[in-house]
Amino acid sequence: MEHPYKEYENSLLWATINSALNELKNNNDISINTSPEYIIGYLCKKITEG
């Protein structure tokens, strides 16, 4: 299923959030139960909306 945040996928913001999320996950600082695309996309949307 496609997520509603496709417009952000190729952005630097997406890449930065994705990298940070992966670091947190790999360090066992967080666990992710939701598809990462929805988390990253939601954060991109909120940040760009101001």
Side-chain angles (χ1 to χ4, degrees):
M1 184 168 98
E2 273 195 30
H3 59 82
Y5 304 108
K6 286 283 189 190
E7 65 188 279
Y8 303 107
E9 273 191 350
N10 295 316
S11 70
L12 177 59
L13 181 58
W14 182 284
T16 302
I17 293 171
N18 186 37
S19 176
L21 210 54
N22 282 329
E23 285 179 31
L24 290 169
K25 189 171 76 171
N26 291 337
N27 290 334
N28 294 318
D29 292 325
I30 62 170
S31 62
I32 299 175
N33 298 320
T34 302
S35 175
E37 291 83 8
Y38 283 89
I39 297 168
I40 298 165
Y42 178 80
L43 291 172
C44 286
K45 181 179 177 191
K46 285 302 197 178
I47 290 169
T48 58
E49 285 178 349

